[in-house]
């Protein structure tokens, strides 16, 4: 059984586009569908996307982290009130 449906943490998946030949689109789509609320970002590049284009990769990571930090802060504020 897959552990993916049990993931509770905010999840960001960065994928190089075009996809690596060993990552079958159907398999990836099935796995992605198992993770509630997953954010998938496709970026032009290869398997070593983070090494080839760190500035481009940093943008969705930064946005994701900021969004979830704000959600967390709002939750903490409402629980304190």
């Amino acid at each position: 059984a897959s552990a993916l449906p049990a993931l509770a943490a905010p999840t960001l998946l960065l994928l190089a586009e075009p996809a690596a030949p060993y990552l079958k689109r159907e398999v990836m789509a099935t796995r992605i569908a198992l993770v509630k609320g997953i954010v998938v970002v496709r970026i032009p590049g290869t398997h070593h996307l983070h090494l080839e284009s760190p500035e481009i990769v940093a943008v969705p990571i930064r946005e994701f982290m900021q969004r979830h930090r704000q959600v967390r802060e709002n939750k903490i504020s409402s629980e304190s009130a």
Side-chain angles (χ1 to χ4, degrees):
S2 174
L4 294 175
L7 286 176
T11 306
L12 172 65
L13 175 61
L14 301 177
L15 293 172
E17 192 66 42
Y22 54 85
L23 294 176
K24 302 297 181 205
R25 283 197 179 273
E26 308 80 43
V27 174
M28 289 303 295
T30 300
R31 291 178 181 174
I32 289 167
L34 292 173
V35 181
K36 182 180 178 187
I38 191 170
V39 175
V40 180
V41 177
R42 297 179 191 278
I43 301 173
T46 68
H47 174 76
H48 295 288
L49 187 61
H50 60 293
L51 298 174
E52 297 166 351
S53 306
E55 306 83 12
I56 294 171
V57 169
V59 172
I61 294 172
R62 187 178 307 111
E63 291 171 353
F64 182 83
M65 297 298 290
Q66 288 172 344
R67 188 173 335 121
H68 287 282
R69 180 180 61 219
Q70 187 63 45
V71 167
R72 184 170 166 243
E73 289 171 358
N74 291 344
K75 182 178 179 185
I76 291 170
S77 297
S78 66
E79 289 173 353
S80 309

